[in-house]
Every structure is written in C-alpha cells, then in structure tokens.
Amino acid sequence: MSAQIIDGKRIAAEIREEIKRETESFAAKGVRPGLAVVLVGEDPASQVYVRNKAKACEELGFYSEVHRLSAETTQEELLSLIARLNAQADINGILVQLPLPKHIEEKAVIDAIAVEKDVDGFHPVSVGNLLIGDDALQPCTPSGVIELLKRTGNAPAGKHAVVIGRSNIVGKPVSILLLREHATVTICHSRTPDLPAVVRGADIVVAAVGVPKLVKGDWVKPGAVVIDVGVNRLPDGKLCGDVDYEDVAPVAGWITPVPGGVGPMTITMLMLNTLNSAKAAHGIA
Ligand code: NAP
C-alpha cells in the first residue's frame, strides 16, 4: 500500500475557482480586490514570484500594481511607498517581496504595512492576533497547509501533529494554526534530541526544515499524514522536499509531493487573504 497523494495543484485550483466566483459576485457592487506587490532589486527567484503573483491577480479579476524598485532604493523611499499604498483605497493587500537588500531593515518595512493590508501575515499585530485566536490575516504557507489537511478529510482535531522547524514564516505559525484546529502539537528544531522517535508519535507530520530528504520512512507511523513544506534544489537542478518521498510514501497514509503539494497553495492563500481584506474594507461578511 502506498500513501494517497495530496494534490496541492488540484486543491489550489479548486480554491482559486471559489475566489474567482466570489470576486465576480462583488464586481456588480463595484468591489474589486487590489494587491500591491513591491520588489526591491533584481533577485531572479523573487522576480519569478512577483510575476506569478501579478498573473494570479489577472486570472482572478483582481486589480494589481507591481512596484519594481532598484536595488539602491533607500529604506526611506520604500517606507514612503508603503505609506502611500496604506492610504490607497483601491489596494487591499500589500506584499513586499523578501528578502530585501541588506541596507534595508526588513522589520521596519513589515511593521510599516497597515495591519488590515498585511496579506503576508507577518506584521507583529497579525502574529499576535493569530496567537490569541482573534481574526487575523494568516500567513499563506501555513494556512495552505491547514487547507490541504481539511480538504483531504484529515482535519487536525484530536490528532498529534509534529512540526519540524520553528521559523517565523512556517514552523511557528503552522504550529499555532494546528493548535487552533485542536491538534496536540509538538514543535521540533535543530536541538530536538532523537527527532525520529518524536516524529514516530505523529498522526500528522509537517516538515519545514530546509534539509533535503531529512524525514525517512522508518520515522513515520504507518498511515500518518505527511506534509512536506521544504523546497530544496539538488545539485542536478531538480527540486526536492524535506521528506524522502520514495522512502516515506509506502508507509504514510497521505503525502504531499514536491513540487505540486504545498507550493501551489501559497499564492492561492495570498489571493484569498486579499479577497478577505477587500471584503472587510467594504463591510462584506
Ligand atoms: P528556516 O528559517 O531555515 O528554518 C528551518 C527550521 O528547521 C529551523 O527552526 C531549524 O531549527 C530547523 N532545522 C534545521 N535543521 C534541522 C534538523 N536537522 N533537525 C531538526 N530541525 C532542523 O526555514 P523556513 O523558512 O521555515 O523554510 C523551511 C523550508 O520550507 C525550506 O526548504 C523553504 O524553502 C521551504 N518553504 C517553502 C514554502 C512554500 O511555499 N512551499 C514557503 C516557505 C518556505 P533551529 O531553529 O534550531 O535553527
């Protein structure tokens, strides 16, 4: 028996269809979600991400603005652009593509984004709201993980979830979301002794480590759900996750492939955040 594949591409397409339908239904009321994407410098990977975000906006009927700034842009210039976007009524979401050039302090930039337009969910107030269980725009990759679980009949309630990784963008927020969904959550990191033994106790494993093929078949409880957030480039140019897919798939009950698992969910959840932010701005429930 081999694990059932969690098809992130299909689930992302399903959610985008829902977003598109909702967006069309608001058009008659004159409401159009708007996303501003800001790119500083010429990082090739960031350029691809920014292009994909603009394309997703177009496909869904959103208004979008892409601000491409030179690598020499000062922090003050970037902050004044953010202040402008914060005040712009046709913009519901602001995304500053990270990483930023070294002379710009990332935290100052994230802190400057209006909380109600923080579609990346990285603002400290959004993070605080997430933690205390208030309404908040949720970070995209973690909320994508939760959608993958729910939409495959693997709701986390009552399950033991083991998260490997404690970064602010994936490990910590996905742990909080799993807790909010009533899982019992264990968070592991580089100082966790006997990681395989801890992972063996999991009904749900979320790997967000950045180490290619770290999680092996004999770490996984038979039938467990394995979500691989990792995206690693191998020397031969191929992509692989943090889970040794060939080794784990025969043991797990469900597994996400890389690519085609968590990846397609991230931009989709960004679009959903932008839609929700537009609804909130127009008082639509
Ligand atoms: P990160 O900031 O580098 O954090 C990695 C975490 O893994 C840290 O908490 C680290 O522990 C832990 N870790 C490292 N080596 C370990 C080991 N051998 N055993 C146990 N824990 C270990 O990475 P990230 O930004 O969270 O990203 C993680 C992965 O997800 C990367 O491959 C990244 O490319 C991918 N990613 C994918 C998406 C997507 O859309 N699919 C989005 C974001 C990230 P310490 O805290 O102790 O150092």
Side-chain angles (χ1 to χ4, degrees):
M1 259 287 282
S2 193
Q4 298 196 59
I5 292 170
I6 299 180
D7 184 348
K9 260 199 202 153
R10 184 188 60 73
I11 295 171
E14 185 180 298
I15 298 173
R16 284 189 196 203
E17 208 39 57
E18 293 165 14
I19 297 173
K20 198 169 171 193
R21 273 202 303 276
E22 227 181 328
T23 303
E24 282 164 3
S25 77
F26 296 146
K29 298 179 189 151
V31 174
R32 191 179 184 203
L35 176 69
V37 182
V38 182
L39 172 64
V40 187
E42 271 107 45
D43 178 62
S46 294
Q47 289 192 0
V48 175
Y49 297 144
V50 166
R51 257 202 313 279
N52 288 344
K53 285 163 189 169
K55 200 166 136 238
C57 283
E58 202 177 310
E59 283 166 10
L60 296 176
F62 287 15
Y63 169 67
S64 76
E65 285 182 6
V66 178
H67 295 265
R68 290 189 171 80
L69 309 181
S70 85
E72 286 75 44
T73 303
T74 65
Q75 183 163 316
E76 288 64 36
E77 285 166 336
L78 180 55
L79 291 176
S80 81
L81 170 62
I82 290 173
R84 251 188 8 252
L85 295 170
N86 280 344
Q88 230 173 284
D90 54 358
I91 292 297
N92 306 106
I94 302 170
L95 182 135
V96 178
Q97 189 65 48
L98 303 177
L100 288 167
K102 299 248 174 314
H103 65 278
I104 299 178
E105 195 200 336
E106 252 170 43
K107 184 174 161 46
V109 174
I110 293 170
D111 288 2
I113 296 172
V115 177
E116 66 277 12
K117 299 190 180 187
D118 174 36
V119 283
D120 243 347
F122 294 159
H123 190 287
V125 173
S126 305
V127 177
N129 282 333
L130 184 74
L131 189 65
I132 60 178
D134 273 5
D135 279 346
L137 289 165
Q138 299 178 351
C140 304
T141 302
S143 61
V145 169
I146 301 296
E147 281 301 316
L148 288 179
L149 291 170
K150 286 184 169 173
R151 287 178 186 246
T152 50
N154 290 301
K159 307 276 174 58
H160 181 200
V162 171
V163 177
I164 319 173
R166 56 172 164 180
S167 73
N168 287 332
I169 61 165
V170 190
K172 275 186 215 160
V174 83
S175 304
I176 299 304
L177 286 174
L178 286 162
L179 188 62
R180 280 180 66 162
E181 294 293 332
H182 314 294
T184 302
V185 184
T186 303
I187 309 174
C188 304
H189 45 78
S190 65
R191 311 280 185 96
T192 302
D194 201 357
L195 184 61
V198 181
V199 175
R200 254 177 240 124
D203 305 306
I204 298 171
V205 182
V206 179
V209 198
V211 176
K213 302 187 182 187
L214 176 75
V215 178
K216 303 294 178 194
D218 62 0
W219 295 27
V220 172
K221 179 160 85 177
V225 182
V226 179
I227 306 287
D228 189 353
V229 182
V231 180
N232 309 292
R233 179 90 45 199
L234 293 172
D236 64 6
K238 286 197 182 130
L239 287 184
C240 87
D242 294 340
V243 173
D244 188 334
Y245 186 91
E246 306 302 328
D247 206 36
V248 172
V251 185
W254 294 82
I255 191 166
T256 57
V258 177
V262 174
M265 296 298 287
T266 300
I267 292 189
T268 301
M269 300 315 283
L270 174 73
M271 297 297 131
L272 186 60
N273 275 350
T274 306
L275 172 69
N276 286 335
S277 169
K279 284 164 71 176
H282 291 87
I284 301 169

